[in-house]
Amino acid sequence: MPKDNGIGASLKRREDVRFLTGTGNYTDDISVHRQLYVHFLRSDVANGTINGIDTAAASAMSGVVRIFTGADFEGVGSIPCGWQVTDRHGEVMKEPAHPVLAQGKVRHVGDPIAAVVANSLEEARNAAEAIDLDIHELPAAVDMRKALEEGAPLVHDELGDNLCYDWGFVEENREAVDEAIKNAAHVTTLELVNNRLVANPMEPRVAVGDFNRATGDSTLYTTSQNPHVIRLLMGAFVLGIPEHKLRVVAPDVGGGFGTKIFHYAEEAFCTFAAKALNRPVKWTASRSEAFMSDAHGRDHVTKIELALDADNNFVALRTATLANMGAYLSTFAPSVPTWLHGTLMAGNYKTPLIYVNVKAVFTNTVPVDAYRGAGRPEATYQLERVVDKAARELGVDPVALRRQNFITEFPYATPVAVEYDTGDYNATMDTLETMIDRDGFAARRAASEAKGKLRGLGINCYIEACGIAPSNLVGQLGARAGLYESATVRVNATGGLVVMTGSHSHGQGHETVFPQVIAEMIGLDESMVEIVHGDTANSPMGMGTYGSRSLAVGGSAMVRATEKIINKTKKIAAHLMEAAEADIELKDGQFSVAGTDKSVAWGDVCLAAYVPHNYPLEDIEPGLEETAFYDPSNFTYPAGAYSCEVEVDPETGKVTIESFAAADDFGNVVNPMIVEGQVHGGLGQGIGQALLENCAYDENGQLLSASYMDYAMPRASDLPLFKVDHSNGTPCTHNPLGVKGCGEAGAIGSPPAVVNAVVDALQSAGKNVLHIDMPLTPARVWDAMNG
C-alpha cells in the first residue's frame, strides 16, 4: 500500500501552488527603488580587433546615465574558471583571461563590448544603436579540427595555438590498450558527433545589482543554481569584494539544466555598475541574447574503438575526442570532457583496459560547459552506440552482448579510477524487457510494415556518477572549490523546523522532498518543516545544485544536522522524564522511556530547550539549532536500461517515437512521483537532442540557430507516453539515505536508445546503415536510406 507521508510517499510538490498560480518570485520580478537598466552591445563578428569605440553621441541621448566599455574594467579580475585540468604531459591547461567587457578583441558573436546604463531599457537599447564601433573582422576558428591546424586563426593570440589541453586517461594504460586492440579478434570502430545544444530554460538569465553606500554592502539578485559559489567566484576573483560584504540571492529559478551554474560577465557587471553609479542596475536577457551568451552544451567529435575476443568479451576500449571549449573557459568547462566523461567510459561493462584521450579546443563560438548530464551523456552515447554497432557486425543480439559483458560483482573498481559500490544491471534489463514486451516486437514491426513504415527497436544501458566527491580527491583532480554540502536545522520553541540549505531548487522539488526526509526521522507531519535556500545571507556555505547531488549530498547534510538535533532533544527528554539518555526512544513525534509508559511530546521538549527550567544548563545549553557539512566519500552510481521503439517513414525520413521505456536504479527513492517527473523531463531533453536540437555555426562563426525559428525544441507531440520503473534500486552504501540521484538519468540514457532504434529500423529494410549523427532529422535519415 502506498505511503501517505515521509520517505516513499508520492506527495504533491508544495512549491507548485505558487508556480501554478503565478505567485512565484523570480529575479525579473525584483525591482529596486531608483533602479536603472542595462543593455549590452554585443559583437556581431566572431573574431575581430577593436580599433575604436565612440560613445559620444550615445552618451548624449535621453535617459543615458553612463556607458561602460572594457577600459572601465582594466584592473578588474577576469571571469574565473573553477577547474584546472593537467594534460597527459603534466602541463596545466592554457587559461586565457575572460574580461567582463571585451578588451582589444572580440572572440565570438555575442561577446559583450559595451554596456549602456539608462533610466529605461528602451533608452538603453536606443543609445546602444548609436555607438560607433570600429572593428577589424578577422578569420574565425570554428571547426575544431581546422582550429588545431598550423596557421589557423587564433582565438587568443597570446596562447600561440587553439589547444587548451591534451588529456589522457589512464595514461599508464595506453600501450596496453593499443596492444590489446592490435591483437583483438574483432574491433568495432565508430566516428560520431555529440551535437552542440542550447539549454533554453524557460526563464532567461537575469541579474540585479544593488549597493548600499551606508554599509558598503553589495547585493546581487541572480538566476543561479549555486549562489554561494557565485559569491565566492565574483567577490574574490573578479571584483575583490570580501564575502561578508557581498550578498547573493537566487530566488525562484525557472529551470537551469546546468547553464545557470556558472558565473557570467553580466552578473559581475551589474554588481560593479551598481556601486559605480550608486544605483541599482538590472539586466534581463532576451531569448536571442540567451542563444549567444548562455553557455552551450556537448559539442564533441569522437572516434571510439571497441576490441572483443573470439568469444565476444570486451577486452579494450580506446577513444579520441575533440571537445569544444568555445572562446573562453566557463566555470566547470575543463572538467566536463575529462573527469566527468573519461571516468565513465567503462559504463556497465567489465572491460579490463580503457584509454581516453581528449583534446580541448578553443574556437570563436560561445563557451561550452555542463548541460544536463555533463560528460556522462557523451560517454554513454559513445559507448552504447559502439556496442550496438559491434553486435550488428558480429551478428549477435545486442542485449545478449551487453549481458555477457555486464559487471555482476560489487564493489567493482573500473580501469578508469572509479569504484561502483552497488548495482544490478541484469535486474534492470530484465525489468525493461518485461515492460516493453520484447517478444511481441516482431508482430508490431509487421503491423508497421503493413502501413508502409519501418519499425525499429533500440535498447541500451547507462551508468552515471553523481554527487561529485570527495573534496580532497576532486581537489587533486583540479577542482578549485570543495564539493561538500551544508544544512542548518533550526527548531522553533513550538516544534516547527526551519532548514537552511546550500542546495538550490530550480525545479527539483526540494521544498517537498527535504521535509519528507526530516519528518520521517522525527515522526512529524511534513508541514512542520520549512526549507530556506537561495540567499547567502541566511544559509550556510554550500555548493549548490547540479550533478544530481541535492539529495545524496545536501539531503545527507540535513540528516546529519537532524541527528544532532535528535541527540540533544533526547538529552532534554531524559532530564524531563528522569531517565537515562540511552533509554530514550523517539517515534511518531513522541519521546518515551523504553519499557515504560512514560512519554513526552516533541513540542514539549522543544519548548523546554528554549525555557530551560528543568534541565542543568551546565550539561545542555539552551536553544535547538545545529549545522552539519557533508562531504561524500565517493560518487553515487545510478544506472539503468532504456528502450525506444520508432517508426520511420521511408518516403520522407521522418522518425516517430512510438514508445519509450526506462528502468532505472536510483537506490532508495524518497518521492516516487517527483522521481518519475525528473525522468520524464530528462527523456524529453535527450530525445530532443537525438531528433531535433542542433546549435550550428557557419564558417565565419555566425550563429545559424539563434532563435526558435532555427533551433527546434521538442514539443509534447514529439514525445510518447513514457513507461518508467525504478523498482530495482540497490541502495548506495556510503550516504545515510542510500540514494543515488535521478535528475540527469533520462538525458543520459535516451539519445543512444533513439539512434539505436532508427538504425535498427533502417537495417530491417536492408539498408546498410550503421550510424547517423544526431540530430536524426528527416533529411539526414532520408539521405542515409538513399546512400
Side-chain angles (χ1 to χ4, degrees), residues 139-314:
V142 179
D143 178 271
M144 285 189 283
R145 287 193 178 95
K146 292 180 180 179
L148 293 179
E149 294 175 356
E150 187 174 352
L154 295 178
V155 181
H156 297 273
D157 298 341
E158 69 276 14
L159 300 184
D161 59 34
N162 293 317
L163 180 66
C164 178
Y165 57 74
D166 180 1
W167 184 79
F169 192 71
V170 173
E171 196 63 30
E172 292 77 10
N173 290 349
R174 186 172 190 168
E175 290 185 4
V177 169
D178 291 346
E179 191 68 18
I181 291 175
K182 178 182 176 182
N183 297 319
H186 181 85
V187 177
T188 294
T189 302
L190 180 62
E191 296 188 20
L192 47 77
V193 173
N194 207 294
N195 41 322
R196 181 185 279 237
L197 304 174
V198 181
N200 282 314
M202 185 177 294
E203 175 202 31
R205 290 191 296 116
V206 184
V208 182
D210 194 13
F211 179 71
N212 186 326
R213 188 164 60 178
T215 63
D217 293 343
S218 292
T219 300
L220 171 68
Y221 302 93
T222 184
T223 47
S224 175
Q225 298 175 215
N226 46 3
H228 284 278
V229 174
I230 301 305
R231 183 179 67 167
L232 174 64
L233 294 177
M234 186 179 74
F237 298 103
V238 184
L239 301 182
I241 304 173
E243 283 188 271
H244 70 284
K245 304 302 287 182
L246 175 60
R247 176 189 178 199
V248 177
V249 183
D252 289 331
V253 173
F257 313 124
T259 198
K260 291 177 182 173
I261 297 171
F262 324 121
H263 175 41
Y264 288 95
E266 294 88 355
E267 294 169 319
F269 175 82
C270 289
T271 307
F272 177 90
K275 182 176 181 179
L277 301 174
N278 194 32
R279 289 181 65 179
V281 176
K282 183 174 186 175
W283 170 75
T284 299
S286 68
R287 187 59 65 182
S288 295
E289 271 189 299
F291 271 95
M292 58 183 175
S293 64
D294 290 2
H296 294 170
R298 313 287 193 255
D299 205 354
H300 287 190
V301 176
T302 297
K303 178 181 179 181
I304 181 169
E305 299 163 281
L306 175 64
L308 302 91
D309 66 17
D311 296 320
N312 294 341
N313 297 306
F314 300 168

Side-chain angles (χ1 to χ4, degrees), residues 607-685:
L607 182 62
Y610 289 94
V611 187
H613 295 166
N614 297 307
Y615 60 87
L617 290 176
E618 62 270 19
D619 294 337
I620 311 170
E621 64 182 28
L624 207 49
E625 181 173 321
E626 298 287 351
T627 295
F629 287 78
Y630 179 78
D631 199 340
S633 60
N634 192 3
F635 295 93
T636 64
Y637 298 98
Y642 284 12
S643 165
C644 179
E645 269 189 47
V646 300
E647 273 192 348
V648 178
D649 185 339
E651 298 296 323
T652 65
K654 178 174 173 56
V655 176
T656 302
I657 297 181
E658 295 296 311
S659 67
F660 202 105
D664 296 291
D665 173 2
F666 294 138
N668 294 333
V669 171
V670 174
N671 187 310
M673 181 181 67
I674 287 179
V675 166
E676 186 170 337
Q678 288 287 304
V679 174
H680 282 201
L683 293 177
Q685 287 185 279

Side-chain angles (χ1 to χ4, degrees), residues 26-44:
Y26 297 92
T27 308
D28 193 53
D29 294 322
I30 295 171
S31 292
V32 186
H33 180 56
R34 299 178 66 241
Q35 177 176 284
L36 300 171
Y37 297 83
V38 60
H39 177 78
F40 291 97
L41 177 64
R42 299 180 182 275
S43 175
D44 59 3

Side-chain angles (χ1 to χ4, degrees), residues 648-649 651-655 691-692 775-785:
V648 178
D649 185 339
E651 298 296 323
T652 65
K654 178 174 173 56
V655 176
L691 294 182
L692 298 162
L776 275 62
T777 61
R780 287 188 179 185
V781 175
W782 192 92
D783 282 346
M785 284 192 293

